[in-house]
Amino acid sequence: MTYSHHVPRKRFGQHFLSDQAIIQRIIAALNPKPDQHLVEIGPGQGALTVPLLKHIKQLEVVELDRDLIPELERRTHGALTIYSADALTFDFGSIKKDERQLRIVGNLPYNISTPLIFHLLTFASIVSDMLFMLQKEVAERLAAAPDTDDYGRLSVMVQYHCEVEVLFDVPPEAFYPPPQVQSSIIHLVPFKTLPCPAKDYLLFESIVKNAFGQRRKTLRNSLRHLVSDDIWQQINISSNLRAENLSVQDFVSIANACARISS
Ligand code: SAH
């Protein structure tokens, strides 16, 4: 396979998978079944797309770089529905046509992986799972536990919605061109029933954002405008702690105590 006519574009985060063993390992981890509703983000030159089509009847892909699309169409003979669009603003809800939940897969463009994951979380209720190639460092942040440096807003918001599992690492040599960083495959499974639901989701989001916006400060200070002394007294969480010391459950408890007062 040669694609000498396409020069990988940095601004689209293009690092094409070229290691066949890694490609097969990703497909085995995904374990696609013929009738599932699978969506791939950033098919690129089809490194995952083409082998996926051997397992699945119909596949939908979202690709931003229009120059890649003719070649992708040529290689996939009509079994593919291509959305020439930006995954960051794509309405994944609009492609759910029946009772099947979406499975989402992709070797994500690293430059937009964090905002893209935040965007995808808004569709968590219609998604059965997501399998992504990410920068190892981002994968570690998604899976991080409290009291670690990697733990932050991304960890809390993802773990609120999903079970997170880092599956395996992928070295730079598996791609063309090789990225500067190590990569990891991560599996995110949205909870069918949220383990600790927030009564007011926007308030919960805003508490998490503010707490980590000033992560070196105590919660009393970083959340001064959102959480009063009264609330701190009612709940069993010390306002002398910092954002990184709190579990997802703790953030929800704070938000729910505030929601109770305001409702
Ligand atoms: N899946 C391919 C390509 C991965 S590189 C492979 O593994 O070889 C990342 C891909 O995402 C590229 O095809 C790039 O053009 C595409 N991309 C970049 N930004 C995007 C965006 N905002 N929305 C959709 N696709 C995007």
Side-chain angles (χ1 to χ4, degrees):
M1 285 193 290
T2 53
Y3 298 96
S4 49
H5 57 282
H6 184 83
V7 178
R9 294 199 165 105
K10 225 187 165 112
R11 75 189 158 99
F12 289 142
Q14 289 175 353
H15 295 282
F16 299 116
L17 268 167
S18 54
D19 182 325
Q20 290 307 317
I22 296 283
I23 291 170
Q24 288 313 319
R25 219 173 147 193
I26 294 170
I27 290 173
L30 184 69
N31 190 19
K33 300 287 182 234
D35 290 314
Q36 289 173 338
H37 190 170
L38 188 63
V39 185
E40 186 188 358
I41 297 174
Q45 298 175 320
L48 292 169
T49 324
V50 172
L52 279 172
L53 282 169
K54 296 200 176 86
H55 297 265
I56 202 134
K57 286 185 201 152
Q58 176 68 45
L59 181 60
E60 292 175 297
V61 301
V62 182
E63 174 57 62
L64 182 60
D65 185 351
R66 289 168 190 273
D67 290 353
L68 291 170
I69 291 176
E71 178 67 10
L72 205 54
E73 276 172 338
R74 199 187 60 75
R75 296 191 65 204
T76 54
H77 315 292
L80 201 63
T81 306
I82 303 176
Y83 301 98
S84 174
D86 184 346
L88 276 176
T89 52
F90 188 75
D91 179 5
F92 289 86
S94 71
I95 59 173
K96 186 178 187 296
K97 293 291 186 303
D98 48 39
E99 74 295 344
R100 292 175 305 163
Q101 301 275 91
L102 309 185
R103 301 194 73 196
I104 306 181
V105 62
N107 169 13
L108 298 188
Y110 293 170
N111 48 343
I112 59 158
S113 58
T114 302
L116 184 54
I117 287 169
F118 277 113
H119 178 62
L120 290 167
L121 288 180
T122 67
F123 300 101
S125 66
I126 60 159
V127 169
S128 66
D129 66 333
M130 303 183 257
L131 190 94
F132 294 135
M133 175 89 74
L134 290 171
Q135 214 172 308
K136 184 177 164 86
E137 179 212 311
V138 175
E140 282 169 350
R141 281 165 48 207
L142 292 181
D147 300 319
T148 63
D149 287 343
D150 287 335
Y151 188 67
R153 176 172 166 238
L154 185 64
S155 330
V156 174
M157 297 313 295
V158 168
Q159 293 170 28
Y160 174 85
H161 292 283
C162 307
E163 204 166 324
V164 180
E165 194 184 356
V166 180
L167 299 182
F168 55 90
D169 293 343
V170 180
E173 310 79 69
F175 305 84
Y176 175 77
Q180 303 276 354
V181 293
Q182 292 286 329
S183 304
S184 302
I185 294 289
I186 192 154
H187 193 213
L188 306 176
V189 184
F191 296 114
K192 299 265 178 290
T193 310
L194 291 175
C196 24
K199 290 181 190 155
D200 177 341
Y201 182 74
L202 293 178
L203 179 61
F204 163 70
E205 245 185 344
S206 145
I207 285 174
V208 174
K209 191 172 185 172
N210 280 273
F212 285 106
Q214 298 176 292
R215 63 182 288 148
R216 298 285 155 227
K217 291 197 175 175
T218 63
L219 295 163
R220 184 185 302 108
N221 285 321
S222 58
L223 298 179
R224 186 176 292 284
H225 304 288
L226 289 164
V227 186
S228 65
D229 288 345
D230 280 358
I231 304 263
W232 287 118
Q233 272 155 28
Q234 284 168 39
I235 56 182
N236 203 11
I237 297 167
S238 164
S239 63
N240 290 322
L241 294 171
R242 293 173 183 176
E244 68 184 41
N245 307 123
L246 299 195
S247 64
V248 174
Q249 165 88 68
D250 291 335
F251 280 109
V252 172
S253 299
I254 297 171
N256 286 355
C258 297
R260 206 165 51 230
I261 299 289
S262 59
S263 62

